[in-house]
Amino acid sequence: MYDFSGASILITGAASGIGAATATLLANSGARKLLLIDREEVRLRDFGFTLPCERQIVIGDVSDERLWAQADLTGITHALVNAGVAGGSPIEETSFAEWRRIMSVNLDGAFLTLQAAMRAMRNNGGSIVLTASVAGMKAEVGIAAYGASKAAILHLARIAAKEGAPNGIRVNAIAPGGVETPIWSEMPFFAEMVASSGSEEAAFRQLAAGGSPLGRFAKPEEIADQIAFLLSDRTATVTGSCLVSDGGYSL
């Protein structure tokens, strides 16, 4: 069990998947306040009411500068930069609009979130984790926009770690492989797999069999535990690092 007593924590992409699992874990580990951001209003509000701590709900797009101009991040001690979207197509078939859709949230949004968090932590220090992906480390066909956005996140985290260190701000990244989250529903091929196999569970098993030496995908709660580790004082001397959690996929 982690001890986040008194912590005030920012989480983007908080309505589902890794964000929601991390919020649940931190709330149950003593966090005083969670600032939860997502553009899925109904889902976020319904989820937020289940948490046993003070929570501030912000509905909006993390790539919108106006959201960050209005957000009150006073006193935050930790942040999870997690909001993201998926998509997949060969470079020759990817429209610029689709490229920008993915980059806008995954990279622009991450930059704005990180910038706001670092400004808020400037005087008292803190800990930040960015959700990258093994897709940013290993080249595969059809993931140009998504993979490039996550590769940029990895380097952004390293630069932020170097800039933040003098102010006591640690910045690390986590690079999951396959995780059983709703983001897969944005991928047309996954919908086809669900239809042919009969269930999401069966589709995830098929994906893992071909892409993970361990033979399974991670649960959001497992990634949340690893994020909590990186955010916690147990990693007080760790910054600029990336925890790869892909079941051996990138080996």
Side-chain angles (χ1 to χ4, degrees):
M1 177 64 73
Y2 298 96
D3 182 8
F4 284 90
S5 298
S8 180
I9 306 170
L10 165 67
I11 301 175
T12 64
S16 62
I18 292 170
T22 304
T24 300
L25 175 58
L26 298 176
N28 288 314
S29 298
R32 178 182 63 81
K33 178 181 179 180
L34 297 181
L35 173 54
L36 307 175
I37 300 179
D38 205 292
R39 59 188 182 187
E40 298 290 338
E41 181 172 5
V42 174
R43 181 180 292 177
L44 182 60
R45 292 194 185 281
D46 288 347
F47 166 67
F49 287 135
T50 69
L51 299 173
C53 68
E54 181 184 349
R55 60 264 176 192
Q56 180 181 349
I57 304 294
V58 177
I59 309 301
D61 185 340
V62 293
S63 65
D64 185 348
E65 287 184 90
R66 293 169 296 181
L67 182 149
W68 297 108
Q70 298 168 7
D72 181 7
L73 273 58
T74 303
I76 67 163
T77 55
H78 305 76
L80 172 60
V81 183
N82 175 70
V85 295
S89 57
I91 293 172
E92 292 184 12
E93 299 174 13
T94 302
S95 68
F96 187 63
E98 174 66 358
W99 172 272
R100 284 304 313 147
R101 180 186 74 86
I102 293 172
M103 287 292 176
S104 177
V105 175
N106 292 6
L107 187 53
D108 299 348
F111 166 76
L112 291 171
T113 308
L114 179 63
Q115 180 184 67
M118 291 180 72
R119 286 173 174 172
M121 296 176 181
R122 183 184 297 136
N123 294 326
N124 297 307
S127 179
I128 303 171
V129 171
L130 287 78
T131 304
S133 168
V134 73
M137 303 172 65
K138 182 175 181 178
E140 294 287 4
V141 173
I143 62 167
Y146 183 77
S149 73
K150 293 302 186 177
I153 289 295
L154 290 168
H155 201 50
L156 181 63
R158 289 191 287 267
I159 294 169
K162 200 157 193 177
E163 292 185 0
N167 293 322
I169 302 171
R170 295 189 301 108
V171 184
N172 292 290
I174 187 166
V179 185
E180 296 181 11
T181 68
I183 200 170
W184 287 96
S185 64
E186 300 175 29
M187 309 291 282
F189 79 87
F190 186 70
E192 294 172 4
M193 291 183 68
V194 172
S196 64
S197 64
S199 69
E200 284 194 355
E201 183 178 352
F204 280 128
R205 283 199 302 269
Q206 289 180 22
L207 281 173
S212 170
L214 284 181
R216 72 177 184 90
F217 278 2
K219 300 290 186 182
E221 293 76 14
E222 293 175 305
I223 302 301
D225 189 84
Q226 294 158 16
I227 289 169
F229 174 68
L230 291 173
L231 288 173
S232 75
D233 290 341
R234 297 183 191 181
T235 53
T237 61
V238 178
T239 194
S241 296
C242 175
L243 173 60
V244 180
S245 181
D246 67 352
Y249 167 75
S250 59
L251 295 175

